[in-house]
Amino acid sequence: MYLVAGLGITGQSVLRYFEAQGEHCFAYDTREELDVSALAQRFPGVEFATGHLPTAWIAQFETIVLSPGIAQSEPWVMNLRKLGKQVIGDIELFARAVGVPVIGITGSNGKSTVTTLTGLALQTAGYKAAMGGNLGQPALDLLLDETDYDVYVLELSSFQLETTYSLQTISSTVLNVSEDHMDRYEDLEDYIQAKTKVFEQTDLAVLPEDFSEHGMIHHCPVVRFGLSESFERGPDDYGVMEQEGQLWLARGQQALVTVSDMVLQGKHHRLNALAMMALCQPFNIAPEIFQKVLSEFKGLPHRTQLVVNYKDVEWINDSKGTNVGATLTAIESMGQQARHRNAQLILLAGGVGKDADFSPLQPAVHEYCRQTIVFGRDREQIAAALPHEAVARVDTLAQAITLAAQTAQAGDCVLFSPACASFDQFDNYAHRGKVFEQLVGEMVAAEEAR
């Protein structure tokens, strides 16, 4: 018998999976105020509880399927573990049931894009490839799909990996690591340990050029990817090379795709493309497939997405910039593009900081930003990390947009990249991004009506 703990998107996918398997379970959520009446109607064979776990249940289940949003350090979870209860997650259930190759993708930033690119490359090459996990459909819902997939491409969060023990992957990667979720992890090393669990049972480890292996990978080949001139590539490593006056993405000394053919330009887009090609290495995909995918892929919503160019000012939605590393990448990428126009950035940042250190933003802000406008709960923490910069404080995103419109000069870019979680004022990063787009649209409409 199982206890499904947490009744959000992941928990509900577990309920659907157990229903399909004919597996009985209990369902519990710590939120007393959560209305589970619709779920109880949808799953009549499941007993539900909120707020407090019924004592009578404890002797009846052996395993907790813990949603990723619930930390194993929660006292009630620790108490159940002391009683001998096993704690797993939805990805562990997936791992125990899947019978075809899996590609695992994690990292602080870029994992949704690389997951999508990898899936698109495999699909374009003729494979039945499913994409999901922390992105899009939950992994267990993919297993319930009627399609007989050839390969699953999973985006995996550190929270999911914490409760995963038997996932075998044909290739896997940690794209990068920057400080994130420090309100949940003891320190950066603890966070790294969670991420690198993806390598425990992989056939091919794909690592950034500068990523330390921490002595953890002895059982499989390692392929690296990177852009630096000092990166000495082996025959199976991925980087950039010049050939016939053009810059190419390359495997070893084999040119694969011309950089100029990519729709998305910029350092981080090249890194994402290299990681994707490395992850596909076991499938021997032709360079023409990669070229087609990269020449057509225009990016995912809320990731340095152009909303509008109005009065020669670009408004960029990077609401997915939920940590310092993501925002730093966005500032550097968009800042370099603005510099080519002899222009600067107006950075909009703020929200819930997750106990992050914002000081790494300071050099890039100093180099590229005309002004930073901070809003939301932890705006003062961001402002304090930028002591010598032009920083304005407001309460809301709407106020930040109004001030940005007054500040921006012709050629400038207003970059909305919060470096924070969204749940002080929004449901999630997607809701926050949609509100940004709506507010910018209303601002433009009001200007046009004058």
Side-chain angles (χ1 to χ4, degrees):
M1 181 78 85
Y2 292 89
L3 171 69
V4 179
L7 297 176
I9 293 173
T10 299
Q12 291 179 41
S13 77
V14 176
L15 293 178
R16 289 189 290 271
Y17 179 72
F18 281 157
E19 179 185 51
Q21 302 301 311
E23 183 73 54
H24 296 290
C25 65
F26 297 109
Y28 167 64
D29 197 287
T30 57
R31 294 168 291 182
E32 184 80 56
E33 72 280 4
L34 183 67
D35 183 1
V36 295
S37 56
L39 286 175
Q41 187 173 3
R42 168 64 181 80
F43 301 99
V46 176
E47 292 186 59
F48 289 85
T50 60
H52 299 283
L53 183 68
T55 304
W57 287 7
I58 295 176
Q60 299 181 61
F61 65 83
E62 296 80 36
T63 303
I64 309 165
V65 184
L66 196 67
S67 287
I70 302 174
Q72 294 189 73
S73 59
E74 289 285 331
W76 67 272
V77 179
M78 295 179 68
N79 288 337
L80 289 173
R81 293 189 72 167
K82 290 176 182 177
L83 293 174
K85 308 300 181 182
Q86 183 185 35
V87 178
I88 64 172
D90 68 308
I91 302 301
E92 177 61 20
L93 288 172
F94 173 92
R96 295 175 182 182
V98 69
V100 300
V102 178
I103 295 175
I105 299 167
T106 192
S108 299
N109 302 302
K111 53 187 179 290
S112 295
T113 296
V114 173
T115 299
T116 303
L117 283 171
T118 304
L120 289 174
L122 290 164
Q123 290 171 354
T124 305
Y127 292 93
K128 294 179 182 177
M131 295 168 275
N134 193 52
L135 163 75
Q137 280 190 284
L140 292 174
D141 282 350
L142 296 177
L143 286 183
L144 297 180
D145 196 318
E146 294 181 357
T147 303
D148 291 327
Y149 290 109
D150 301 316
V151 55
Y152 292 91
V153 186
L154 298 186
E155 175 185 320
L156 301 168
S157 71
S158 58
F159 296 168
Q160 289 173 313
L161 288 165
E162 288 175 16
T163 53
T164 301
Y165 310 99
S166 57
L167 180 65
Q168 298 181 21
T169 55
I170 193 168
S171 61
S172 60
T173 187
V174 176
L175 295 169
N176 47 60
V177 175
S178 61
E179 195 175 77
D180 197 7
H181 303 299
M182 291 299 103
D183 52 346
R184 175 141 162 179
Y185 293 102
E186 291 184 7
D187 51 31
L188 186 59
E189 183 62 29
D190 190 29
Y191 176 53
I192 291 171
Q193 290 299 319
K195 287 288 189 190
T196 53
K197 282 193 70 178
V198 76
F199 294 130
E200 287 183 350
Q201 299 181 68
T202 192
D203 294 334
L204 178 70
V206 175
L207 292 174
E209 58 177 297
D210 57 351
F211 190 88
S212 171
E213 297 178 25
H214 292 261
M216 65 195 167
I217 303 174
H218 305 287
H219 62 284
C220 69
V222 174
V223 168
R224 292 188 177 270
F225 66 96
L227 297 173
S228 70
E229 294 181 3
S230 60
F231 177 31
E232 297 182 5
R233 296 195 305 277
D236 289 325
D237 294 329
Y238 291 76
V240 293
M241 64 182 290
E242 279 197 40
Q243 183 172 287
E244 298 177 355
Q246 286 191 304
L247 194 63
W248 292 73
L249 304 180
R251 175 182 176 182
Q253 295 305 310
Q254 178 191 5
L256 298 175
V257 178
T258 52
V259 170
S260 60
D261 280 341
M262 296 175 60
V263 174
L264 300 175
Q265 295 291 315
K267 175 182 175 182
H268 63 292
H269 295 304
R270 296 174 192 176
L271 285 170
N272 290 340
L274 293 170
M276 173 269 287
M277 292 190 290
L279 288 163
C280 289
Q281 187 169 295
F283 297 87
N284 297 315
I285 293 177
E288 296 78 30
I289 299 295
F290 295 138
Q291 192 275 338
K292 178 176 173 58
V293 170
L294 294 171
S295 67
E296 295 176 353
F297 182 68
K298 297 180 180 179
L300 298 175
H302 314 298
R303 295 161 176 84
T304 56
Q305 179 185 27
L306 176 64
V307 177
V308 68
N309 188 321
Y310 181 66
K311 292 186 176 179
D312 200 24
V313 174
E314 291 184 343
W315 292 78
I316 302 294
N317 174 10
D318 190 47
S319 183
K320 189 60 169 66
T322 58
N323 59 55
V324 171
T327 295
L328 182 59
T329 297
I331 293 171
E332 291 175 342
S333 177
M334 302 310 300
Q336 290 168 10
Q337 294 180 40
R339 176 171 288 171
H340 290 316
R341 305 189 300 270
N342 295 317
Q344 292 181 285
L345 304 181
I346 311 297
L347 174 66
L348 312 186
V352 178
K354 298 178 286 185
D355 293 338
D357 175 11
F358 293 100
S359 61
L361 293 176
Q362 201 275 335
V365 166
H366 181 76
E367 184 170 0
Y368 296 113
C369 294
R370 185 182 306 283
Q371 185 176 55
T372 298
I373 303 171
V374 294
F375 67 95
R377 193 190 79 178
D378 292 337
R379 58 188 179 275
E380 292 299 335
Q381 294 179 24
I382 303 173
L386 308 172
H388 307 298
E389 309 306 320
V391 179
R393 299 162 175 80
V394 296
D395 293 328
T396 66
L397 177 57
Q399 293 170 338
I401 288 171
T402 298
L403 182 56
Q406 296 168 354
T407 306
Q409 301 178 15
D412 280 355
C413 169
V414 178
L415 173 61
F416 175 49
S417 188
C420 292
S422 59
F423 49 81
D424 57 336
Q425 298 180 356
F426 307 95
D427 295 339
N428 48 49
Y429 80 84
H431 175 225
R432 177 172 64 185
K434 290 175 182 177
V435 170
F436 174 75
E437 293 175 357
Q438 177 184 343
L439 291 170
V440 171
E442 291 171 355
M443 179 269 295
V444 171
E447 287 285 327
E448 292 289 329
R450 291 178 181 172

